[in-house]
């Protein structure tokens, strides 16, 4: 039934506390529920997929993430509606977070792609797309 769907994604973060606040807010807005919590990690689950955030060990913190380097560029999530994208955009701004490609927002992905792009605390790009 879930063949081929993402089972889970695990992301190492530079500051678990900061990432948990940000991702907890965002994922719970999307209907995820807190799933696992331990000293070095947290996860949130929706249906049969979950996303895990783990504190990077000190020894590995030196080289920070950059989405233009090899590796993950961004994570994109389905929104409920255009209103949902707008509501999240408003909340991001209220939290003082920056909207990427703001001059083109909400059509930075093209004229038929209604989305907001922003960054997590480690500057991993996140996209929320209306149906
Ligand atoms: Zn995308």
């Amino acid at each position: 039934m879930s063949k081929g769907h993402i089972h889970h994604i695990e992301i190492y973060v530079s500051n678990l506390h900061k990432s948990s606040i940000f991702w907890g807010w965002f994922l719970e807005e999307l209907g995820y529920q807190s799933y696992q919590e331990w000293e070095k990690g947290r996860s949130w689950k929706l249906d049969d997929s979950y996303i895990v955030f783990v504190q990077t060990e000190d020894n590995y913190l030196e080289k920070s993430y950059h989405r233009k380097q090899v590796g993950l560029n961004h994570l994109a999530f389905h929104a409920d509606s255009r209103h949902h994208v707008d509501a999240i955009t408003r909340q991001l701004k209220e939290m003082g977070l920056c909207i990427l490609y703001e001059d083109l927002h909400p059509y930075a992905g093209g004229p038929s792609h209604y989305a907001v792009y922003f960054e997590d605390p480690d500057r991993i790009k996140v996209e929320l797309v209306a149906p």
Side-chain angles (χ1 to χ4, degrees), residues 73-76 113 117 125 127 129:
N73 178 264
H74 66 286
L75 290 168
H113 191 81
Y117 298 81
K125 182 163 71 175
E127 177 180 355
V129 192

Side-chain angles (χ1 to χ4, degrees), residues 45-94:
K45 187 172 190 181
L46 179 67
D47 301 327
D48 50 8
S49 298
Y50 59 97
I51 306 181
V52 191
F53 302 90
V54 176
Q55 175 63 49
T56 303
E57 288 177 32
D58 288 347
N59 292 349
Y60 294 94
L61 278 172
E62 198 176 304
K63 201 165 175 243
S64 69
Y65 168 81
H66 199 297
R67 65 172 173 268
K68 292 194 174 174
Q69 291 173 349
V70 174
L72 179 77
N73 178 264
H74 66 286
L75 290 168
F77 296 85
H78 290 279
D80 233 6
S81 61
R82 290 184 173 206
H83 287 300
H84 189 204
V85 170
D86 294 342
I88 293 287
T89 303
R90 247 189 333 270
Q91 290 181 69
L92 286 162
K93 287 180 177 172
E94 280 166 16

